[in-house]
Amino acid sequence: MSHRNLSQYHHLENEQHQSVDGILTLFTKANHDLTTVQNKLEKEFQQVYPDNANPMKLVSRIKKVQDEMSTLKEQCRELLAAKQDLIDKARGTLVGNRSLLQRLQLSTGVPIISDSDDPSYASFNQVINEWTTQVRSRTGAVS
């Protein structure tokens, strides 16, 4: 590069640095101004509204609750699905064991206890039926 071209390059580079510095200064001032406005608004809201009725805080709380609500709904769905799976497995195990016990009783000549005469089995079925009714009423499911 010749001396003249080098001089023009440095001059152009210096102008660009000044432009960048000007923009950075402008952004810094804008950030300071916005922070000042935010602080003034917060101070005004604290003076005008009681702490629990501050509109900025209320909006912030509402947003947080809305965000948490979808998470809670999903966790509830997962919990209900896990509970239903557990109930289905428990019912399957209990019915299978009861069937094996009845076959064992039959093969040994011991009288078989009917489902209605077995209070534990009847109680279990009552709980399962109540759960099923409750889930259907909330989900609209039909068997």
Side-chain angles (χ1 to χ4, degrees), residues 7-137:
S7 176
Q8 287 176 336
Y9 174 76
H10 285 299
H11 179 69
L12 181 62
E13 189 177 68
N14 190 29
E15 285 180 13
Q16 288 175 340
H17 285 296
Q18 288 175 349
S19 296
V20 170
D21 290 343
I23 290 173
L24 289 175
T25 302
L26 181 66
F27 281 143
T28 301
K29 183 181 180 332
N31 187 39
H32 178 279
D33 291 346
L34 287 172
T35 301
T36 302
V37 168
Q38 178 184 1
N39 291 335
K40 284 181 181 180
L41 283 173
E42 286 177 357
K43 187 176 179 180
E44 182 181 325
F45 282 145
Q46 287 174 355
Q47 291 172 350
V48 173
Y49 301 103
D51 191 44
N52 59 352
N54 182 326
M56 290 176 61
K57 288 183 180 182
L58 290 174
V59 169
S60 175
R61 282 190 222 155
I62 290 170
K63 176 70 174 140
K64 185 177 179 182
V65 167
Q66 286 173 333
D67 291 344
E68 291 174 351
M69 186 66 76
S70 62
T71 302
L72 288 173
K73 283 181 182 178
E74 184 57 35
Q75 289 174 346
C76 284
R77 284 187 195 102
E78 291 171 6
L79 183 60
L80 284 173
K83 186 174 181 179
Q84 187 62 52
D85 186 51
L86 178 64
I87 288 172
D88 292 344
K89 287 177 180 177
R91 176 180 254 173
T93 300
L94 183 62
V95 169
N97 288 345
R98 182 160 180 75
S99 175
L100 288 173
L101 181 61
Q102 286 175 339
R103 279 192 269 155
L104 181 63
Q105 287 173 326
L106 188 62
S107 69
T108 59
V110 175
I112 296 175
I113 300 172
S114 70
D115 292 348
S116 60
D117 290 337
D118 184 346
S120 296
Y121 189 74
S123 175
F124 177 77
N125 276 328
Q126 180 183 355
V127 168
I128 297 297
N129 291 337
E130 288 171 2
W131 165 254
T132 303
T133 301
Q134 186 179 17
V135 169
R136 282 188 191 136
S137 70

